[in-house]
Amino acid sequence: MTQAPARHSSGRRQHDREIITLALPAFGALVAEPLFLMADTAIVGHLGTAQLAGLGIASALLMTAVSVFVFLAYATTAAVARRVGAGDLRAAIRQGMDGIWLALLLGAAVVAAALPTAPHLVDLFGASDAATPYAITYLRISVLGIPAMLIVLAATGVLRGLQDTRTPLYVAIAGFVANGALNVGLVYGADLGIAGSAWGTVIAQCGMAAVYLMVVLRGARKHGASLRPDAAGIRASAQAGVPLLVRTLSLRAVLMIATAVAARLGDADIAAHQIILSLWNLLAFALDAIAIAGQAIIGRYLGAGDSRGAREACRRMVEWGIAVGVVLGVVVVLARPAFLPLFTGDPAVTDVALPALIIVALSQPISGIVFVLDGVLMGAGDGPYLAWAMLLTLVVFTPAALLVPVLGGGLTALWATMTLMMTVRMLTLWLRTRSGRWIVTGATR
């Protein structure tokens, strides 16, 4: 009578160990990534307001370009993890190399497109005459690092698929330290100004890409995997990434619409919205770490043909997502009085932000479920469903958000529509996972 509960408890402990082992380093790497921009901002900010404004415009363009290609990490993680589960490490690394070659090709295309159009891209942001030359300078230099950044994304996916999230953490930390040192040396030591900051970041990114390539190449030699580009493999990687690209663009559209609506509500509202959005993104790192663990674990179980293990891991990760969401929600409520003064001393902004933060806090358990199930379906290679689900969410969210300025309710109502958006995502993802249609076992989907 006690054997079944004992096996159940043992299985939960095993899943917990796997989740913690993968999620904690992934969280550290995720937090380290935005520190690149923070370091650049701190260093360039001392050069002058025009330089800082130029950095802000160029960085927005660069981050948008990179975020569009985040599917390189997601799709590669799922594909590699499946082959790991199937016990074919040679094919797993070969699949990872296809993703890296795709990243290199996409990076080269972005560089070719961005270099001649940099002035026009900056003009789209309505930069001032003083900030424009700095934005163009930073953008033209930094875009040279795009191929390295995309290689880092794809190689990170390879290592996650191989159940290794520690190496990306170490590389991210080393990259952050190198970026800071290079920026200080080139901006002030070599007196290169904002160009020095851009070159420092490019060098750091290339260094990170080189380290990742060394790790992957070592694994390829060990398991006899080919390093040559394979047209069919690259094409398959691109096809797997297209639905995730649609999903990402739809999510970006949601955030852009929310910001546009907040801007129409007034200066205090848009200021408060930006503060809350920065917090929302920070909270997302903790939840996304569990999702990354989900991608790697689910892909491995399905590759091994263990559908029961995949279901049990999914269930346990959902429990983790809810628990972490509850904790984050409580922290947001308790930290509100201390958090807001870090960003503003304007009582009008604080008054607008306080009730909206309550909505954010209450929505965190929902967000926890969304992030976990998103990771589970990515790990299963269920990209087409994720694309359609996110498009449906965008269709529901858009009219609701656009009605906020008409019906009233201010920023609190806008963040209620953000919660509506997450609820729709939760329902669509829950229905899919409950159906079991995502469970397709084998080395490939």
Side-chain angles (χ1 to χ4, degrees), residues 20 43 85 175 186 266 339 355 395 398 400:
I20 293 172
I43 294 167
L186 294 175
F339 172 74
V395 169
T398 301

Side-chain angles (χ1 to χ4, degrees), residues 64-256:
T64 297
V66 174
S67 67
V68 165
F69 296 113
V70 73
F71 70 83
L72 289 166
Y74 295 158
T76 305
T77 297
V80 171
R82 274 186 175 269
R83 285 160 176 79
V84 169
D88 193 346
L89 290 178
R90 179 179 179 179
I93 296 176
R94 173 65 262 180
Q95 180 70 44
M97 285 304 306
D98 291 336
I100 291 173
W101 278 112
L102 176 61
L104 185 60
L105 292 173
L106 291 173
V110 171
V111 172
L115 282 177
T117 59
H120 304 292
L121 293 172
V122 171
D123 284 341
L124 290 176
F125 276 73
S128 67
D129 292 340
T132 293
Y134 295 113
I136 294 173
T137 296
Y138 191 91
L139 181 60
R140 277 184 165 159
I141 296 172
S142 292
V143 79
L144 298 176
I146 289 285
M149 295 172 73
L150 299 190
I151 288 173
V152 166
L153 283 176
T156 299
V158 175
L159 295 181
R160 289 173 180 171
L162 293 171
Q163 316 297 297
D164 176 10
T165 56
R166 290 182 179 273
T167 300
L169 171 61
Y170 300 148
V171 175
I173 293 173
F176 169 69
V177 173
N179 179 65
L182 286 166
N183 270 257
V184 171
L186 294 175
V187 171
Y188 299 112
D191 198 26
L192 294 180
I194 195 170
S197 176
W199 280 118
T201 300
V202 168
I203 294 170
Q205 290 162 347
C206 289
M208 292 172 66
V211 172
Y212 273 117
L213 289 175
M214 288 173 57
V215 173
V216 175
L217 293 178
R218 186 166 62 242
R221 286 195 298 269
K222 179 179 179 180
H223 297 286
S226 173
L227 301 177
R228 294 179 180 178
D230 176 62
I234 294 172
R235 186 164 54 251
S237 294
Q239 290 172 346
V242 168
L244 297 180
L245 174 61
V246 173
R247 166 201 167 276
T248 299
L249 290 175
S250 300
L251 182 56
R252 297 290 299 182
V254 164
L255 299 178
M256 289 175 64

